[in-house]
Amino acid sequence: MPRSYVHEARRRVGPKRARILPIIQRLKAEYPDAKIALHYGNDLELLVSVMLSAQTTDVNVNRVTERLFKKYKRPEDYLAVPEEELERDIYATGFYRQKAKALRGTMAMLLQDFDGHVPRRLDDLLKLPGVARKTANVVSAELGDPQGIVVDTHVRRLSQRLGLTRQEDPVKIERDLQRLVPRADWGIFPHLLITHGRRICIARDPRCADCVVNDLCPSSRV
Ligand code: SF4
């Protein structure tokens, strides 16, 4: 896209600080059902689901965990079976060797350092083996205390298209969003963008004519 066109589009929609609240309000009104797509019944199941969701779909994870959570209910259960058995039980989520190793390492640390409970602080979650920033952010947000903003592929694409960041690196994108999005919305904001990204602002072919924020978006094609 030529620079002059981008500049003109940014000028037309106005500064991001003035647009962020209407963007959030309209997306909330459009997607009152926006929430995490993973199925879980407690903190431990949430952590396991999010760890398994790397490089696969939420639908796939839900299919696997429906059986998994009947067999593995406590951290001890993940350590009581041979690693190969756990690998077989999570095989369909892909990268099963790394994931099994990470799950067992995490369960051992939960037992040793956190009395078998899932910690809520981001810093503690990040100590768990195989738990990266995105996973920690999803877990802390779902547990009711978001301490950052989840940046996945949809959040990254939409934040860029909406002119909320010019960064490419997820950590820098998160930092830009934290400065912009009201703290009270840190938990819901990624779900709004993910839902909008799946239904309307599709990666290859955004449906700008049907988009509720197209007058606030510098990348709008209408
Ligand atoms: S106007 Fe188009 S590019 Fe912008 S957010 Fe909506 S669908 Fe995405």
Side-chain angles (χ1 to χ4, degrees):
M1 204 179 277
R3 272 183 78 84
S4 58
Y5 180 82
V6 173
H7 184 76
E8 167 55 25
R10 288 215 178 98
R11 198 193 54 74
R12 174 175 52 80
V13 297
K16 55 189 175 188
R17 292 217 165 273
R19 292 183 288 120
I20 189 67
L21 287 183
I23 287 173
I24 293 171
Q25 280 159 3
R26 287 191 210 172
L27 292 178
K28 276 183 183 170
E30 189 71 2
Y31 307 118
D33 57 339
K35 63 175 170 47
I36 193 166
L38 295 168
H39 298 165
Y40 65 93
N42 56 45
D43 298 2
L44 187 68
E45 291 182 2
L46 167 67
L47 176 63
V48 171
S49 293
V50 182
M51 289 177 74
L52 291 177
S53 70
Q55 312 288 338
T56 189
T57 63
D58 292 345
V59 173
N60 199 23
V61 173
N62 289 339
R63 215 176 281 138
V64 169
T65 55
E66 195 181 339
R67 277 180 288 110
L68 192 77
F69 293 155
K70 290 192 178 115
K71 178 171 173 184
Y72 301 84
K73 296 183 186 300
R74 304 165 307 149
E76 293 90 330
D77 299 334
Y78 291 83
L79 299 168
V81 297
E83 192 153 314
E84 298 73 36
E85 187 173 332
L86 179 58
E87 287 177 357
R88 275 198 302 279
D89 288 338
I90 62 168
Y91 177 81
T93 67
F95 298 93
Y96 57 94
R97 287 212 173 94
Q98 288 143 268
K99 289 179 181 176
K101 201 172 279 312
L103 281 177
R104 284 165 64 88
T106 282
M107 298 305 156
M109 190 179 274
L110 288 184
L111 289 168
Q112 193 176 312
D113 296 345
F114 300 102
D115 291 329
H117 299 300
V118 177
R120 279 156 195 261
R121 288 188 51 238
L122 201 66
D123 290 349
D124 287 334
L125 285 162
L126 287 169
K127 287 178 194 155
L128 301 170
V131 172
R133 188 164 181 92
K134 192 180 121 200
T135 301
N137 265 334
V138 173
V139 172
S140 64
E142 288 307 308
L143 294 180
D145 185 16
Q147 293 148 64
I149 296 179
V150 175
V151 177
D152 75 345
T153 177
H154 295 289
V155 175
R156 174 177 155 160
R157 181 178 75 255
L158 268 72
S159 298
Q160 292 169 336
R161 284 181 176 170
L162 285 162
L164 306 179
T165 183
R166 295 184 193 193
Q167 301 293 342
E168 292 290 334
D169 175 54
V171 173
K172 293 181 181 165
I173 293 173
E174 183 182 352
R175 203 179 51 206
D176 282 352
L177 294 176
Q178 282 176 315
R179 290 192 189 118
L180 206 55
V181 175
R183 176 100 202 206
D185 290 321
W186 283 9
I188 190 68
F189 186 72
H191 294 312
L192 295 172
L193 291 198
I194 290 166
T195 309
H196 195 53
R198 286 188 175 140
R199 296 185 192 170
I200 301 289
C201 192
I202 297 154
R204 288 202 179 170
D205 193 15
R207 295 168 46 201
C208 300
D210 300 322
C211 173
V212 291
V213 292
N214 60 15
D215 58 317
L216 300 169
C217 175
S219 309
S220 172
R221 298 178 182 181
V222 291

